[in-house]
């Protein structure tokens, strides 16, 4: 008999920041496993390109332009997602921004820069998770909530205090949600990527000095890619993870333990 716990046919997955990088890798894995997929992104052209790629798997694909830092925009986008696809079984909160390079030190960081990062990474996650949780607890079957955090949440990163704070907040929020929503059948987990080759990191990962110093500390001896997150996305959206909640998954090629 075929083991079908990873079969996502009949399920709907929402991925914010899903038009590139880790989010697109997740979306591709979910679509390949049979899920209907909705991706939110701020760039309509990138959304369209991602949709063409996802449609090759034969399932339903929806894209929406949404800035998750805008509470009203999130509410509208979630309502549009439900109108188009009927339900959301798994919500992957992946949209995020990094710190600006011109920040030279914590002492010089402006309040505007602090709020810019937390406004997307933490407030945006709150808006999205709240909309998804309201939907999931209001229907039979529960669902799966997943956030993309970062190793920065559990390790030091100079000049990135705002980014680290936002990602650490995500881990704490998911642990709390895993307890609060367990009896409604809603799971909550966090993914912590290591050094992944994405549009956000490509400049850093192509800097010779950085590659020389950091890549030898990655036992797998390569940077991660968005495709490396397809499997964990399928697992967390599937019935195979029905008893797995409140966890943090480190996907970093063993960088953090070497």
């Amino acid at each position: 008999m075929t083991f079908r716990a990873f079969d996502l046919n009949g399920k709907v997955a929402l991925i914010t920041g899903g038009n590139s990088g880790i989010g697109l890798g997740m979306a591709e894995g979910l679509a390949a496993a049979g899920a209907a997929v909705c991706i939110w992104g701020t760039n309509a052209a990138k959304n369209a390109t991602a949709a063409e790629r996802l449609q090759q798997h034969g399932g339903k694909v929806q894209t929406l332009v949404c800035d998750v830092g805008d509470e009203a925009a999130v509410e509208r986008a979630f309502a549009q997602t439900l109108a188009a696809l009927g339900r959301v079984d798994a919500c992957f909160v992946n949209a995020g921004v990094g710190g600006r390079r011109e920040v030279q030190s914590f002492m010089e960081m402006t309040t505007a820069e602090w709020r810019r990062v937390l406004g997307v990474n933490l407030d945006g996650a709150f808006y999205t998770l709240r909309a998804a949780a309201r939907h999931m607890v209001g229907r039979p079957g529960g669902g799966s909530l997943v956030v993309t955090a970062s190793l920065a949440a559990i390790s030091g990163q100079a000049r990135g205090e705002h980014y680290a704070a936002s990602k650490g907040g995500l881990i704490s929020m998911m642990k709390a949600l895993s307890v609060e929503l367990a009896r409604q059948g809603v799971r909550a987990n966090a993914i912590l990527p290591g050094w992944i080759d994405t549009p956000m990191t490509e400049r850093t990962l192509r800097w010779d000095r950085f590659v020389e110093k950091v890549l030898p500390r990655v036992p797998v001896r390569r940077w991660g890619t968005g495709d490396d997150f397809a499997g964990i996305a399928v697992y967390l959206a599937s019935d195979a993870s029905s008893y797995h909640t409140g966890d943090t998954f480190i996907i970093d090629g063993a960088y953090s333990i070497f």
Side-chain angles (χ1 to χ4, degrees):
M1 180 180 294
T2 304
F3 181 69
R4 301 187 62 83
F6 293 101
D7 183 358
L8 300 184
N9 279 284
K11 292 186 181 292
V12 176
L14 164 64
I15 308 96
T16 71
N19 61 22
S20 66
I22 292 172
L24 182 55
M26 290 177 171
E28 183 127 42
L30 294 161
V37 172
C38 180
I39 59 174
W40 296 359
T42 57
N43 186 304
K46 286 185 177 181
N47 285 357
T49 299
E52 289 181 7
R53 178 170 162 179
L54 296 174
Q55 285 164 350
Q56 295 177 7
H57 297 288
K60 292 182 180 179
V61 177
Q62 181 193 29
T63 67
L64 292 170
V65 174
C66 180
D67 174 3
V68 298
D70 181 334
E71 182 176 5
V74 168
E75 292 295 326
R76 286 194 301 272
F78 201 88
Q80 290 174 307
T81 302
L82 293 180
L85 300 177
R87 57 190 288 149
V88 171
D89 299 288
C91 179
F92 292 83
V93 175
N94 174 74
V97 296
R100 291 194 169 120
R101 288 181 173 271
E102 57 265 29
V103 175
Q104 297 299 313
S105 73
F106 178 70
M107 290 72 72
E108 297 173 8
M109 185 182 296
T110 65
T111 301
E113 169 65 4
W114 174 273
R115 289 178 175 164
R116 181 186 70 84
V117 172
L118 269 74
V120 174
N121 295 0
L122 195 55
D123 293 352
F126 162 65
Y127 302 145
T128 308
L129 289 167
R130 182 180 61 182
R134 286 171 172 168
H135 168 65
M136 291 176 182
V137 300
R139 65 181 179 88
S144 178
L145 303 174
V146 184
V147 297
T148 302
S150 169
L151 283 185
I154 57 174
S155 60
Q157 180 183 353
R159 298 179 298 281
E161 291 82 2
H162 47 352
Y163 184 77
S166 69
K167 296 301 187 177
L170 288 180
I171 295 173
S172 297
M173 181 158 49
M174 298 311 279
K175 288 183 180 294
L177 283 172
S178 71
V179 175
E180 180 173 346
L181 302 182
R183 292 188 181 181
Q184 283 78 39
V186 178
R187 310 185 300 282
N189 292 286
I191 297 171
L192 280 66
W195 290 110
I196 313 301
D197 193 353
T198 71
M200 186 186 296
T201 62
E202 61 183 352
R203 183 176 172 184
T204 298
L205 300 190
R206 284 159 181 73
W207 180 27
D208 291 346
R209 286 181 59 193
F210 184 87
V211 173
E212 180 182 327
K213 288 177 178 289
V214 178
L215 191 57
R217 295 168 53 195
V218 181
V220 176
R221 290 297 187 272
R222 67 171 176 85
W223 307 127
T225 69
D227 292 342
D228 291 316
F229 294 82
I232 190 64
V234 170
Y235 170 67
L236 291 175
S238 75
D239 294 339
S241 63
S242 62
Y243 199 62
H244 202 157
T245 189
D247 205 354
T248 55
F249 296 82
I250 296 177
I251 300 180
D252 68 348
Y255 170 79
S256 58
I257 61 170
F258 184 56

